Amino acid sequence: LISILFIGLLTRLIFPLYQTIIVTLLFASSIAFMGEAHLAKTDATLLCLICIQQFFLLKLILDKDVSSRVKYLYPIIIWFAFSFGVLVKGPLSFAILISTVIVFCFFQKSIDLIKSLKPILGIIICAFIILPWFFAIEEATQGEFLQKAFNEDFLSKLRGGQEGHGALPGTHLLILSIAIWPIATFLPCLILFCIQNKKNIIVQFLISWIVPFWIIIEMIPTKLFHYSLPVLPAISILAIGGMFQFKSN
């Protein structure tokens, strides 16, 4: 429910209320989201934290106000959401935030967003939230947790298809139409929408959210259905935006 709420709030920054409702309801009925929500795994929790993180990141980009709310509150919320995302799912939260910021800065030919995020403050917040947990879990497991998490889980996914879930690059693209159904109907509109609005700052933000992470999950040998979940909200917004642009033209 929190994920859907923040997807709605994020979409409302971009579209009128009518389009926002359509994006939110269609995403809420998508196969990938419904499946993860009912399974109640950590992936659904990670999606919630990423939606909060990306909502305030877009607010930080769009809000030109120099008030303390923009200068400090938004970055603090972003780093808190990021830190809890790291606790929930390790490197995935890192991959989303860092890749989004880097690619968006490339689009803008500026590092203003990095400055606005206040990375020194972010390091302090991350250390305050993440390190105590790592020290506690390492003590409780006699140092085995990080070793097993890194060697047996993370590295095994990079070396080959873990637990028989290996597949070729492009697999996630092939199953996207299933994962995001019924929004998949409008995916062709997404491509035209991005091309025609490539200089729009919000479209650039959404592309920055999707493309680098998508390349990462396609290059990893292990392929699971839910791996694309963190970027499906951005794909949904662009697809429905493309649909409405197609309709108006």
Side-chain angles (χ1 to χ4, degrees):
L1 288 174
I2 297 173
S3 299
I4 292 300
L5 172 64
F6 274 92
I7 289 169
L9 291 173
L10 196 151
T11 309
R12 190 69 181 90
L13 295 175
I14 306 165
F15 295 136
L17 181 61
Y18 172 63
Q19 291 171 252
T20 298
I21 292 172
I22 290 178
V23 172
T24 307
L25 292 179
L26 285 177
F27 182 81
S29 63
S30 66
I31 293 174
F33 179 78
M34 290 285 287
E36 291 303 318
H38 283 82
L39 287 173
K41 296 194 304 179
T42 52
D43 299 281
T45 306
L46 177 67
L47 176 65
C48 172
L49 293 166
I50 286 174
C51 288
I52 296 170
Q53 168 191 291
Q54 298 298 87
F55 168 73
F56 283 101
L57 186 60
L58 184 56
K59 288 273 285 181
L60 188 65
I61 292 168
L62 296 179
D63 203 333
K64 303 302 181 183
D65 191 6
V66 292
S67 65
S68 58
R69 179 188 63 184
V70 177
K71 288 180 66 177
Y72 296 104
L73 181 60
Y74 291 171
I76 287 172
I77 295 173
I78 291 167
W79 288 115
F80 263 88
F82 169 80
S83 299
F84 284 114
V86 171
L87 292 182
V88 169
K89 206 70 177 175
L92 289 183
S93 186
F94 182 87
I96 288 285
L97 180 63
I98 303 304
S99 63
T100 301
V101 171
I102 291 173
V103 176
F104 183 80
C105 288
F106 175 78
F107 271 123
Q108 295 294 301
K109 297 180 175 61
S110 168
I111 60 169
D112 287 345
L113 181 58
I114 296 176
K115 294 177 182 177
S116 298
L117 275 171
K118 306 204 175 330
I120 301 300
L121 177 63
I123 291 171
I124 294 171
I125 292 173
C126 291
F128 180 76
I129 294 173
I130 297 170
L131 289 182
W133 184 87
F134 273 119
F135 289 141
I137 199 73
E138 279 295 282
E139 184 178 348
T141 60
Q142 278 127 27
E144 292 183 3
F145 175 77
L146 281 180
Q147 182 181 352
K148 287 188 175 183
F150 189 74
N151 292 329
E152 297 180 16
D153 186 57
F154 183 69
L155 285 182
S156 64
K157 288 178 179 177
L158 296 180
R159 291 192 193 108
Q162 190 184 44
E163 298 175 359
H165 294 296
L168 295 172
T171 302
H172 286 294
L173 190 61
L174 289 174
I175 64 175
L176 178 61
S177 59
I178 300 171
I180 207 169
W181 184 266
I183 297 173
T185 311
F186 312 112
L187 285 178
C189 301
L190 177 153
I191 299 169
L192 294 174
F193 183 71
C194 290
I195 292 172
Q196 294 174 6
N197 298 277
K198 59 185 177 182
K199 294 186 178 180
N200 183 286
I201 191 170
I202 297 173
V203 172
Q204 290 177 349
F205 170 78
L206 295 173
I207 292 173
S208 302
W209 180 352
I210 299 165
V211 173
F213 185 78
W214 198 275
I215 292 172
I216 292 170
I217 61 173
E218 290 288 13
M219 295 307 295
I220 293 173
T222 303
K223 302 284 192 300
L224 288 172
F225 184 75
H226 63 270
Y227 277 11
S228 61
L229 189 64
V231 297
L232 293 187
I235 294 174
S236 303
I237 293 168
L238 288 173
I240 300 301
M243 179 197 73
F244 277 100
Q245 186 178 57
F246 179 78
K247 177 184 175 184
S248 65
N249 292 335

